[in-house]
């Protein structure tokens, strides 16, 4: 089955991973900007990173017929440095008109601090001023519930936001309902030891239905599995779900969300 | 949206997997007991015990309740406490 991984950090993966994704049926990836595993020293580090995301990664993906899209931001882990964050946010518009850029992301919270919230709001303001889609990271483990609620508070407190143009990622059983009831898209991330397993993601599709719901691997430099979406597909099939339902979650829904970006161009296979 | 499988079918398919996961939990509690010292006063241990008890309760939302058990509580007044404005609302 053709599928799209709407959240994967390919700069952290090998070229062989692109090949494997293509072999597994992946036709497109969307890569949010995120933390490199260390704090970057200044705004020029982000300029170089955005160059990599918008120029080299699409080329590398193209070697195996994959279409590559990306999102730009300074991530929540580095948002404690508000001055650096403001320099990066001011620089982002240099890259917004490049092909394949889908919007601002993955912005969000990490430890739910005041500085993280301040930088989150300034990213949202940039997205509103430039008419961009937003992709949101929600915190991990014990911080997820509170952080997700804080994010929803900030989003619903901004009357400029069109909720169908925002994807709130890494939802789990205790956050998915609030995200969807507020009118946002929700993403389920399949990780080996945290976030969701393919089985629990299937459970959430069964409980909440496929509307405004996606599934991703969030493959990165840590413990993660870039082919996790095919694991989800297999589990859905094992449970006897219709191919049309599976395709909606792993292919049609990402396309519907991405298509709201005016720059989005996609060639079906 | 209903599951495509019957409860009996799910039990047939998942019995051994669930059995294995429960055994892992039981073995972990045994290791706590065998280890030197005592962790029973540690709040994390109490949370694990409470989580194990939660599995025995009824209802369709055990996973959600387990997640909330392991979560920090949401504080509705966080914006005023942190002094963070709300979007474009000033």
């Amino acid at each position: 089955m053709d599928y799209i991984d709407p959240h994967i950090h390919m700069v952290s993966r090998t070229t062989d991973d692109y090949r494997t994704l293509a072999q597994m049926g992946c036709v497109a990836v969307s890569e949010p900007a995120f933390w490199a595993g260390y704090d970057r020293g200044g705004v020029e580090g982000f300029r170089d990173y955005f160059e990599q995301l918008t120029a080299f990664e699409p080329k590398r993906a193209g070697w195996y017929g994959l279409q590559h899209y990306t999102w730009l931001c300074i991530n929540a882990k580095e948002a404690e440095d508000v001055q650096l964050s403001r320099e990066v946010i001011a620089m982002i518009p240099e890259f917004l008109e490049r092909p394949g850029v889908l919007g601002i992301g993955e912005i969000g919270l990490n430890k739910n601090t005041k500085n993280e919230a301040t930088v989150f709001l300034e990213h949202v303001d940039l997205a509103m001023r430039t008419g961009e889609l937003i992709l949101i990271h929600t915190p991990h483990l014990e911080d997820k519930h509170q952080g997700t609620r804080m994010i929803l508070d900030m989003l619903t407190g901004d009357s400029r936001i069109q909720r169908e143009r925002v994807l709130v990622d890494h939802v789990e059983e205790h956050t998915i309902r609030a995200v969807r009831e507020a009118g946002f898209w929700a993403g389920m991330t399949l990780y080996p030891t945290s976030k969701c397993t393919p089985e629990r993601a299937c459970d959430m599709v069964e409980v909440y239905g496929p509307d405004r719901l996606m599934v991703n691997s969030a493959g990165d430099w840590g413990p993660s599995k870039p082919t996790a979406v095919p694991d989800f597909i297999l589990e859905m099939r094992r449970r006897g779900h219709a191919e049309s339902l599976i395709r909606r979650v792993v292919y049609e829904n990402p396309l519907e969300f991405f298509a709201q970006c005016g720059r989005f161009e996609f060639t079906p296979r | 949206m209903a599951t495509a499988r019957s409860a009996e079918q799910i039990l047939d398919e998942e019995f051994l997997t669930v059995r294995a996961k429960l055994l892992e939990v039981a073995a972990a509690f045994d290791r706590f007991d065998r280890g030197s010292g005592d962790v029973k006063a540690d709040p994390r241990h109490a949370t694990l015990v409470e989580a194990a008890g939660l599995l025995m309760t009824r209802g369709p939302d055990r996973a959600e309740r387990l997640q909330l058990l392991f979560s920090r509580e949401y504080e509705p007044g966080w914006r005023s406490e942190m002094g963070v404005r709300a979007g474009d609302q000033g």
Side-chain angles (χ1 to χ4, degrees):
Chain A
M1 174 182 288
D2 285 358
Y3 78 91
I4 294 168
D5 193 332
H7 186 145
I8 186 166
H9 301 290
M10 293 306 297
V11 301
S12 303
R13 310 301 310 192
T14 65
T15 298
D16 285 345
D17 284 339
Y18 274 119
R19 181 187 182 92
T20 302
L21 289 174
Q23 288 172 328
M24 299 291 275
C26 187
V27 295
V29 294
S30 128
E31 176 158 9
F34 88 132
W35 190 51
Y38 62 93
D39 290 351
R40 296 170 180 87
V43 68
E44 289 306 316
F46 283 88
R47 186 176 272 112
D48 289 344
Y49 177 43
F50 295 163
E51 185 70 28
Q52 183 182 15
L53 286 173
T54 57
F56 183 60
E57 287 306 318
K59 182 189 297 182
R60 206 160 66 111
W63 293 341
Y64 298 99
L66 286 163
Q67 295 167 79
H68 182 279
Y69 305 95
T70 197
W71 304 74
L72 305 174
C73 75
I74 177 170
N75 65 88
K77 272 184 176 285
E78 289 168 282
E80 277 305 315
D81 187 338
V82 175
Q83 179 56 39
L84 173 61
S85 299
R86 286 176 173 153
E87 292 173 21
V88 173
I89 290 170
M91 181 267 291
I92 286 173
E94 294 176 23
F95 291 85
L96 281 178
E97 292 305 319
R98 290 200 176 187
V101 175
L102 295 179
I104 304 300
E106 58 181 305
I107 59 172
L109 301 176
N110 179 46
K111 289 297 178 186
N112 306 333
T113 68
K114 176 179 180 176
N115 283 353
E116 291 172 10
T118 298
V119 172
F120 176 85
L121 286 168
E122 294 186 14
H123 273 113
V124 169
D125 184 63
L126 171 65
M128 293 303 97
R129 287 188 283 108
T130 54
E132 298 294 336
L133 299 177
I134 298 175
L135 193 161
I136 292 174
H137 164 94
T138 52
H140 304 278
L141 301 173
E142 69 269 22
D143 295 313
K144 182 179 292 294
H145 180 242
Q146 181 194 24
T148 302
R149 295 289 300 271
M150 288 171 65
I151 286 166
L152 295 181
D153 286 346
M154 289 187 277
L155 293 173
T156 56
D158 191 328
S159 62
R160 300 171 297 175
I161 288 179
Q162 297 172 264
R163 300 183 186 187
E164 70 278 10
R165 291 174 58 81
V166 179
L167 168 60
V168 180
D169 221 329
H170 314 320
V171 299
E172 295 183 52
E173 291 88 345
H174 54 324
T175 57
I176 184 172
R177 184 188 300 115
V179 169
R180 294 230 312 199
E181 284 182 354
F184 301 103
W185 285 80
M188 300 181 290
T189 295
L190 309 172
Y191 259 18
T193 54
S194 64
K195 301 190 174 74
C196 279
T197 60
E199 291 79 7
R200 286 170 45 222
C202 292
D203 291 339
M204 283 188 269
V205 173
E206 291 173 353
V207 171
Y208 294 100
D211 291 348
R212 285 181 281 112
L213 191 58
M214 302 182 213
V215 62
N216 63 70
S217 73
D220 56 24
W221 47 261
S224 53
K225 187 178 182 186
T227 55
V229 176
D231 291 345
F232 168 84
I233 294 170
L234 185 62
E235 176 63 15
M236 288 287 283
R237 280 188 182 137
R238 195 183 71 78
R239 296 185 183 194
H241 287 297
E243 291 292 297
S244 58
L245 171 63
I246 304 171
R247 180 180 166 88
R248 180 163 177 203
V249 176
V250 303
Y251 184 82
E252 293 166 1
N253 279 355
L255 286 181
E256 182 181 342
F257 179 68
F258 295 163
Q260 297 178 94
C261 172
R263 290 177 299 273
F264 182 64
E265 293 182 4
F266 177 74
T267 306
R269 182 148 69 166
Chain B
M1 171 176 292
T3 174
R5 301 176 295 171
S6 69
E8 185 176 8
Q9 185 183 358
I10 295 170
L11 182 61
D12 286 344
E13 292 175 1
E14 301 195 5
F15 175 76
L16 286 177
T17 304
V18 176
R19 173 184 180 275
K21 290 176 179 174
L22 288 172
L23 270 173
E24 287 297 325
V25 173
F29 276 105
D30 288 344
R31 285 194 292 275
F32 298 151
D33 290 345
R34 285 202 311 277
S36 60
D38 188 352
V39 294
K40 289 190 175 55
D42 189 313
R44 292 174 300 173
H45 185 270
T47 304
L48 290 175
V49 171
E50 188 177 352
L54 192 151
L55 299 182
M56 302 305 296
T57 63
R58 290 187 175 275
D61 58 348
R62 294 181 191 85
E64 180 178 356
R65 285 185 281 136
L66 199 71
Q67 290 273 22
L68 290 171
L69 179 63
F70 286 109
S71 298
R72 291 207 174 93
E73 198 164 338
Y74 168 62
E75 297 162 6
W78 69 271
R79 278 182 291 199
S80 57
E81 289 170 17
M82 288 187 185
V84 174
R85 65 182 174 84
D88 67 342
Q89 304 299 303

